Amino acid sequence: MKKYTFTEKKDTRSGFGAGLSQLGKTNENVVALCADLTGSLKMDAFAKDHPERFFQVGIAEANMIGIAAGLTIGGKIPFTGTFANFSTGRVYDQIRQSVAYSGKNVKICASHAGLTLGEDGATHQILEDLGLMKMLPGMVVINPCDYNQTKAATIAIAEYEGPVYLRFGRPTVPNFTDAEQKFEIGKAVILNEGKDVTIFATGHLVWKAIEAGEQLAALGIDAEIINIHTIKPLDEQAVLTSVRKTRCVVTAEEHQMNGGLGDSIAQLLARELPSPLEMVAVHDSFGESGTPDQLMTKYGLDAVNIVDAVKKVIGRK
Amino acid sequence: MDSTTELEKIVPQVRRDIVRMVHAVNSGHPGGSLGCTEFFVSLYFKVMKHNANQFNMDGVGEDLFFLSNGHISPVFYSVLARAGYFPVKELATFRKLNTRLQGHPTTHEGLSGVRIASGSLGQGLSVAIGAALAKKLNKDENIVYTLHGDGELQEGQIWEAAMYATAKKVDNIIATVDMNGQQIDGSTDSVLPMGSLKAKFEAFGWDVISNDNGNNIATVVETLATAKTHLGKGKPVMILMKTEMGNGVDFMMHSHKWHGVAPNDEQLAQALKQNEETLGDY
């Protein structure tokens, strides 16, 4: 049974901007920091409405993370904003020591993640960020799938005490989750119930999993589709319950195979419920310049790749 | 605590704590710790407004201190304990398994008095600026203090933070650099000469105050008091404080060699002979 409705195409980063703007009005402890990408991160509304709580740090991401950690001392809830590459790889040690190890209530909000950043090329297209962040003890890692869910996640993480990595993207993509749906950190969302295979997807690949599911239905394959918006902590119960029923798995993500969602699910299943598994992800490669659609096709992250992976994994049951 | 004489009584005891702590586990950083003893004693027993008995992470209504060069944890721990943040006897657990007194300071084990982890260098100034901004938002007029090593200034993040503090008029912060001129591989001039730090920080727009005798407690107290009068004028304040690494233990002075080396039994005995037990060993 389908549990989604396509409405319009919107970018997930605007969901973040809308969520942050709402938080600015409802929670006076929320502050925001940006490293010269206010427009790209859609933080303009917050900056305009709450200039005293918005900190433009310039092109100095390490300093931004440190200042954010310091702002928590005094009860503030800082949201940092820059591209995913500069939110993670560039400042890994600052996040590790000043935020994660220090247990600070910083929300690291990262746009332009993955290949769909497009033409800027591999220097900006990080495909390792989920892995980097999920390895940090105590770090919550969230990769919502559309505008509505990104907005809801932004609002939800302000209520959670502790460090969070929130990943979203640049392009407009289908907006299909319920605008009123409450975002529960660590709670997987079943989008389609099925019995033949489970497709676990995250971020932009969730809609592609839905498209794949429709193509599979036409072939007589009944796919269960689950949106894993929280990579860490992983909803292990939801994964195991579904795989006990379907007995085979495809994972889909805009990330390296190493360190991503598929890696987390493979670890869990290897321990608890060994099952045939295929991963739709980037295979140990950097990206390159191109349009988002061209790149997703070239690197094998389209619905057709999910369909192929499903056919393969069902054959391994 | 008021008189310089009373502060001076604490200093040799803190030095004893430092050398005993590192000797006990045959590891740790005595050199920089000994060189900054007068600074820490001045700060925690005279200058800072703080509440040792009821430690609160947010520190609203208090002055805050951030140690950016976390390797000099022995002096930090000794002074925190002697000031009442935790029992003095806990100094005996330094660097031992299950201790709250980790090799480098951390909030992870819930040790009172520590508000951020430090050790990986260059991060403390940014954190302190964040805490200073939170104080401004909270209309809290208390002060944020930091300490940095001079070698630590080779880290780029320091200069990102230095640029920010001036540009955004963070004028409720007093940063101090421990100018002992030494780092692990040798003198700072032999490893990576940094030229005039005064000129550099002034060029970055800081209000820079120099103290050429950071091992004289009266001058340290005076410099910190002067620095306080410079706050609230649109500029962050920097104290460049010359110290002698290993100060108070003659064979540890005038060299970079005691940066991260513990004394043996005989050396410990010598060091203790040079520093009177004034408050009782832990």
Side-chain angles (χ1 to χ4, degrees):
Chain A
M1 193 184 71
K2 284 203 284 187
K3 294 179 182 171
Y4 54 87
T5 313
F6 173 80
T7 52
E8 60 182 320
K9 284 180 91 170
K10 281 177 121 173
D11 51 347
T12 52
R13 58 180 165 150
S14 287
F16 165 68
L20 185 65
S21 185
Q22 187 169 320
L23 280 173
K25 294 179 179 76
T26 58
N27 188 336
E28 65 178 21
N29 284 325
V30 168
V31 299
L33 303 90
C34 189
D36 195 30
L37 287 166
T38 311
S40 296
L41 268 284
K42 306 294 180 187
M43 297 169 90
D44 324 58
F46 184 97
K48 183 168 161 287
D49 294 345
H50 312 285
E52 75 293 351
R53 285 192 271 148
F54 177 75
F55 302 97
Q56 169 62 269
V57 300
I59 310 165
E61 294 81 7
N63 189 40
M64 176 170 73
I65 296 296
I67 291 177
L71 277 159
T72 67
I73 302 163
K76 304 303 162 198
I77 307 171
F79 283 63
T80 67
T82 181
F83 289 172
N85 188 27
F86 313 135
S87 292
T88 58
R90 188 174 183 93
V91 291
Y92 196 69
D93 188 44
Q94 283 76 17
I95 295 175
R96 182 175 182 275
Q97 176 172 287
S98 293
V99 177
Y101 185 43
S102 292
K104 297 304 182 198
N105 192 22
V106 176
K107 316 304 172 188
I108 299 159
C109 302
S111 185
H112 293 53
L115 293 170
T116 50
L117 171 138
E119 293 81 350
D120 280 349
T123 55
H124 288 50
Q125 293 161 342
I126 194 161
L127 294 162
E128 303 84 33
D129 54 324
L130 295 176
L132 286 170
M133 290 298 109
K134 87 178 187 187
M135 278 197 294
L136 288 172
M139 181 67 78
V140 167
V141 180
I142 298 174
N143 187 21
C145 64
D146 69 356
Y147 172 95
N148 284 342
Q149 191 165 69
T150 307
K151 182 180 175 189
T154 303
I155 292 163
I157 62 177
E159 297 297 319
Y160 168 83
E161 174 79 28
V164 174
Y165 178 63
L166 179 67
R167 178 204 220 218
F168 41 90
R170 177 181 185 233
T172 58
V173 292
N175 189 26
F176 57 94
T177 61
D178 183 353
E180 302 306 316
Q181 192 173 55
K182 192 172 175 327
F183 186 89
E184 291 182 68
I185 295 171
K187 183 95 180 129
V189 180
I190 300 176
L191 293 168
N192 192 54
E193 289 173 8
K195 62 179 180 2
D196 297 330
V197 61
T198 309
I199 305 171
F200 295 106
T202 192
H204 291 149
L205 267 288
V206 174
W207 179 255
K208 290 184 184 279
I210 288 170
E211 289 179 323
E214 288 168 359
Q215 293 173 30
L216 288 163
L219 300 171
I221 297 171
D222 187 11
E224 179 140 298
I225 300 168
I226 299 184
N227 172 11
I228 306 282
H229 53 63
T230 307
I231 314 289
K232 184 185 169 190
L234 183 65
D235 189 344
E236 298 193 348
Q237 211 45 56
V239 173
L240 293 173
T241 301
S242 178
V243 179
R244 278 195 192 101
K245 177 173 64 172
T246 63
R247 296 185 297 112
C248 68
V249 176
V250 168
T251 62
E253 61 197 306
E254 190 180 347
H255 191 270
Q256 300 288 352
M257 185 191 286
N258 279 329
L261 168 67
D263 167 304
S264 288
I265 287 178
Q267 283 187 43
L268 170 67
L269 293 177
R271 284 198 314 271
E272 303 284 342
L273 185 64
S275 311
L277 181 146
E278 294 291 331
M279 297 184 193
V280 173
V282 174
H283 292 226
D284 199 29
S285 168
F286 289 104
E288 62 182 288
S289 292
T291 67
D293 286 346
Q294 287 170 336
L295 291 165
M296 295 298 264
T297 300
K298 176 164 177 176
Y299 288 86
L301 304 184
D302 277 335
V304 65
N305 305 105
I306 298 173
V307 169
D308 289 347
V310 165
K311 288 179 188 164
K312 189 172 171 191
V313 85
I314 285 177
R316 291 172 55 202
K317 269 213 244 190
Chain B
M1 191 165 294
D2 292 325
S3 81
T4 304
T5 321
E6 282 180 73
L7 295 177
E8 279 170 344
K9 256 192 216 164
I10 303 169
V11 169
Q13 186 65 56
V14 171
R15 289 206 189 102
R16 290 177 71 89
D17 290 347
I18 292 167
V19 291
R20 291 181 70 232
M21 285 162 74
V22 297
H23 169 265
V25 288
N26 193 28
S27 73
H29 297 81
S33 295
L34 291 166
C36 288
T37 300
E38 289 84 356
F39 173 78
F40 273 88
V41 169
S42 303
L43 207 56
Y44 276 86
F45 289 92
K46 171 80 177 169
V47 175
M48 260 178 34
K49 176 184 166 191
H50 64 115
N51 193 346
N53 298 321
Q54 289 177 306
F55 176 71
N56 168 285
M57 179 57 79
D58 285 344
V60 175
E62 302 178 60
D63 293 336
L64 304 179
F65 171 74
F66 294 96
L67 177 66
S68 190
N69 49 332
H71 57 274
I72 66 166
S73 58
V75 64
F76 191 25
Y77 293 149
S78 167
V79 167
L80 286 178
R82 298 282 171 188
Y85 279 91
F86 55 85
V88 170
K89 65 177 191 301
E90 200 171 342
L91 295 175
T93 69
F94 174 64
R95 284 184 172 242
K96 292 179 180 163
L97 191 64
N98 301 321
T99 185
R100 297 197 297 169
L101 280 60
Q102 292 287 303
H104 293 79
T106 175
T107 57
H108 198 256
E109 324 300 334
L111 185 67
S112 289
V114 181
R115 290 191 166 88
I116 196 78
S118 60
S120 177
L121 294 169
Q123 300 186 25
L125 190 55
S126 304
V127 173
I129 288 168
L133 292 170
K135 285 216 176 291
K136 282 180 181 265
L137 285 172
N138 290 334
K139 311 255 184 289
D140 176 352
E141 292 186 349
N142 294 287
I143 298 165
V144 177
Y145 294 90
T146 66
L147 181 66
H148 309 267
D150 47 1
E152 181 187 10
L153 304 181
Q154 292 160 1
E155 291 283 4
Q157 187 182 345
I158 290 284
W159 301 98
E160 291 183 6
M163 196 184 316
Y164 182 93
T166 303
K168 307 292 170 143
K169 300 186 169 52
V170 185
D171 59 0
N172 54 345
I173 186 168
I174 298 173
T176 299
V177 176
D178 172 20
M179 305 268 286
N180 63 24
Q182 308 288 349
Q183 54 190 112
I184 296 177
D185 277 356
S187 70
T188 51
D189 279 344
S190 69
V191 175
L192 182 68
M194 289 175 281
S196 168
L197 288 173
K198 185 170 192 295
K200 280 189 167 66
F201 277 106
E202 282 177 348
F204 272 68
W206 284 61
D207 184 346
V208 181
I209 299 169
S210 295
N211 178 329
D212 289 338
N213 195 357
N215 295 121
N216 177 307
I217 208 151
T219 74
V220 174
V221 169
E222 191 189 326
T223 303
L224 285 163
T226 303
K228 210 167 156 176
T229 67
H230 288 221
L231 293 174
K233 296 178 178 166
K235 284 184 171 191
V237 175
M238 170 68 67
I239 299 172
L240 298 177
M241 179 182 75
K242 281 205 176 129
T243 70
E244 181 63 49
M245 188 186 258
N247 190 58
V249 177
D250 56 9
F251 60 89
M252 291 189 180
M253 294 165 71
H254 313 297
S255 163
H256 67 276
K257 289 182 182 148
W258 290 90
H259 167 89
V261 177
N264 62 26
D265 293 352
E266 196 182 316
Q267 290 163 331
L268 174 69
Q270 249 183 295
L272 293 177
K273 206 187 281 180
Q274 296 170 30
N275 289 281
E276 191 191 347
E277 184 179 351
T278 50
L279 304 173
D281 286 338
Y282 64 80

